Amino acid sequence: MIHEILPHKLNNEFKICGPKSTDFVIRYDGAKTLLKKGTAYTIPRVGELLELEGKSLGNFEGHYLFCIDETAFFLDDSVTCGDAPEGYEYMVGRTFRNMSPVERLGGATATHLAHWESLNRFCGRCGSEMVRGEKERSMVCPKCGNVVYPRISPVVIVAVHNGDKLLMAHNIDNPNPRLFLISGFVEIGESLEQAVHREVLEEAGLRVKNVRYFGSQPWPFSDSLIAGFTAELDGDDTIHMQEAELSEAMWVRREDIPEYETDVSISCCLIENFRRGFTIKDA
């Protein structure tokens, strides 16, 4: 999954420090991230952008986010994003999925933080301009003292088993045409398990039982932490699809499920776990 980058290690403790020219830099325009074009997109290095703009390392304007091994990720504060320089392009977050494990996790996580900062430039309580916290990762209002921490939204995803069949679906907002699993954000006042029951009932019109925890993963593309579950069909297997959310929903036999790569998403891990006939203890 996206966070599994061994032998590399993510070090995400808060600190304030300056960059090296070989560190990665994120320039975020509120929706897209500046990436270097080539045979594949890559995240630019601090030195590359400084050289492009005729600046020295001492003139870098940005702040530290975290590091992977000894290479840090910084968020560029120097410019109001305009047109991309020659050889670069502003790309959507999904582009990170095709990068190396380090750039995939680092770029997506850095963009998660950049997006959070962009949404909290002003205080939601008094409207004053926010500043970055000096002791922890936060945005602080110097006028009223309001403190805002990075947003992490809990999501559940579930592999519903019906004998040798798996409930698979396609969300209308997903540009990937492949079938995946039922998922959704956890609502105020409910447990993760309650969210599983509600989402399956809302999106597929089905009831489930024996809900069991499978694992979790960060999902920076939607500012989320995803908790994965397995469950069994409880009762009638007739699907009543929620057309406002899904374009397809169906029972797929184990032998008809194609292989899914498991290096990015827990959804694929859950599908592969079922396809290969593993139990939760085997996975």
Side-chain angles (χ1 to χ4, degrees):
M1 290 182 278
I2 190 171
H3 61 290
E4 296 172 329
I5 58 172
L6 288 175
H8 305 287
K9 182 181 178 181
L10 171 67
N11 301 291
N12 60 1
E13 67 275 9
F14 175 82
K15 64 180 179 180
I16 297 175
C17 65
K20 306 185 298 295
S21 62
T22 53
D23 288 333
F24 291 110
V25 59
I26 297 295
R27 181 173 289 179
Y28 184 70
D29 73 353
K32 298 181 179 181
T33 305
L34 184 70
L35 298 177
K36 187 176 181 179
K37 294 191 289 186
T39 54
Y41 287 101
T42 57
I43 303 171
R45 307 279 181 160
V46 170
E48 291 174 333
L49 285 189
L50 288 175
E51 182 179 1
L52 191 67
E53 295 167 353
K55 298 178 181 179
S56 66
L57 193 60
N59 297 125
F60 177 75
E61 297 178 49
H63 62 283
Y64 174 87
L65 298 176
F66 53 83
C67 67
I68 296 179
D69 299 334
E70 301 303 318
T71 302
F73 286 74
F74 282 79
L75 182 58
D76 187 356
D77 303 326
S78 63
V79 296
T80 300
C81 298
D83 294 335
E86 184 177 354
Y88 293 80
E89 187 174 356
Y90 282 99
M91 298 296 295
V92 296
R94 295 183 66 88
T95 310
F96 291 116
R97 299 192 196 189
N98 298 319
M99 294 184 178
S100 69
V102 167
E103 289 191 65
R104 181 169 59 210
L105 174 64
T109 303
T111 303
H112 180 173
L113 291 170
H115 184 237
W116 161 69
E117 286 197 17
S118 73
L119 296 178
N120 290 278
R121 292 179 55 204
F122 299 95
C123 178
R125 178 186 291 167
C126 72
S128 300
E129 188 169 359
M130 302 284 271
V131 298
R132 296 186 188 93
E134 297 181 353
K135 296 182 179 179
E136 59 184 350
R137 184 171 285 118
S138 60
M139 298 294 287
V140 181
C141 178
K143 183 175 182 180
C144 72
N146 180 33
V147 180
V148 180
Y149 297 99
R151 182 177 69 184
I152 303 174
S153 303
V155 169
V156 295
I157 190 165
V158 56
V160 180
H161 301 187
N162 178 17
D164 67 345
K165 293 181 287 187
L166 179 68
L167 178 62
M168 303 189 72
H170 182 264
N171 191 289
I172 59 174
D173 295 325
N174 189 350
N176 189 329
R178 301 188 79 181
L179 295 172
F180 292 97
L181 302 175
I182 298 293
S183 64
F185 288 96
V186 180
E187 297 289 350
I188 294 292
E190 69 182 359
S191 69
L192 298 175
E193 292 80 3
Q194 288 172 327
V196 167
H197 286 278
R198 176 182 54 76
E199 285 291 342
V200 177
L201 185 60
E202 285 181 355
E203 295 192 4
L206 300 170
R207 299 187 182 276
V208 295
K209 61 184 179 181
N210 297 331
V211 175
R212 296 181 180 179
Y213 177 72
F214 177 86
S216 66
Q217 74 164 148
W219 195 245
F221 307 105
S222 60
D223 305 341
S224 305
L225 176 67
I226 303 179
F229 293 86
T230 64
E232 297 176 19
L233 176 69
D234 184 15
D236 184 13
D237 68 354
T238 304
I239 295 173
H240 300 279
M241 188 180 74
Q242 185 180 33
E243 294 183 357
E245 294 286 338
L246 305 177
S247 60
E248 292 182 90
M250 64 186 71
W251 293 109
V252 183
R253 292 188 179 278
R254 194 189 310 272
E255 61 268 25
D256 295 330
I257 299 174
E259 184 175 353
Y260 280 69
E261 295 183 355
T262 59
D263 60 334
V264 177
S265 76
I266 194 170
S267 177
C268 294
C269 291
L270 282 160
I271 293 169
E272 276 296 290
N273 182 70
F274 178 82
R275 188 184 71 85
R276 297 178 186 181
F278 293 159
T279 66
I280 294 175
K281 291 182 179 179
D282 293 329

